[in-house]
Amino acid sequence: GGTSVTLANSDTASTSFTPSNLTTDETLVFQLTVIDNDGGEASDPVSVTVFTDASPELSADKTLLEVAQVGGGRITFTAIDDLTPESVLYTSLAIECTREPSETFSITINYNEILFTTDDSKPNYEEDCVASVTDTIGQTASVTFTLKKLED
């Protein structure tokens, strides 16, 4: 039983395969045999884990952050990916807002949090922002939230 695959270039040092019809993550076991120039032979099983969904996911603890005209706030994110450790995902955490952030909020990214600090100008406005992370194979996940600056 189990999943069967066809190896490409199986008689070379650089073989590959593309699994199909996987519905869950699965570990495939191959019997690797090496034959030297004198005909000596050695064999070992090799396990390869194949992930069916390597797309990252990103969520935020809130979708609206209301901040006093002179004040601050934070949004905390949770990133999950089958192939990329959290620390790598959070290193890629980026933010883009509809207005130039320097006009309205000071923004600091700290691991899985984005900290916002306001000045005393431009009360009563909103900015839509998108935070995103990118995994090691270039797939991106994002979450949208709104910053609302309140009048003191």
Side-chain angles (χ1 to χ4, degrees), residues 58 60 62-64 75 77 127-131 142-146:
L58 182 65
K62 55 183 73 86
T63 56
L64 173 65
I75 294 181
F77 298 90
E127 288 185 33
D128 290 322
C129 298
V130 177
S142 62
V143 64
T144 301
F145 59 93
T146 301

Side-chain angles (χ1 to χ4, degrees), residues 52-152:
T52 56
D53 182 12
S55 298
E57 297 176 18
L58 182 65
S59 59
D61 64 342
K62 55 183 73 86
T63 56
L64 173 65
L65 181 62
E66 296 181 322
V67 181
Q69 189 172 335
V70 179
R74 74 183 69 216
I75 294 181
T76 303
F77 298 90
T78 302
I80 300 170
D81 187 73
D82 288 340
L83 299 177
T84 306
E86 279 185 8
S87 59
V88 174
L89 285 174
Y90 293 135
T91 299
S92 74
L93 184 62
I95 182 172
E96 185 175 317
C97 297
T98 53
R99 293 189 186 191
E100 185 62 39
S102 62
E103 292 179 11
T104 54
F105 286 94
S106 295
I107 298 173
T108 305
I109 298 176
N110 182 18
Y111 192 63
N112 70 331
E113 292 183 324
I114 299 180
L115 310 172
F116 303 91
T117 308
T118 67
D119 57 23
D120 60 356
S121 63
K122 299 183 183 177
N124 297 325
Y125 73 88
E126 293 183 6
E127 288 185 33
D128 290 322
C129 298
V130 177
S132 62
V133 292
T134 304
D135 68 10
T136 54
I137 59 173
Q139 298 179 112
T140 299
S142 62
V143 64
T144 301
F145 59 93
T146 301
L147 298 176
K148 184 173 184 179
K149 188 184 227 184
L150 304 173
E151 190 168 5
D152 285 335

Side-chain angles (χ1 to χ4, degrees), residues 32-56:
L32 177 65
T33 302
V34 177
I35 303 170
D36 67 17
N37 291 337
D38 296 327
E41 189 174 304
S43 195
D44 263 323
V46 175
S47 297
V48 177
T49 301
V50 179
F51 295 100
T52 56
D53 182 12
S55 298

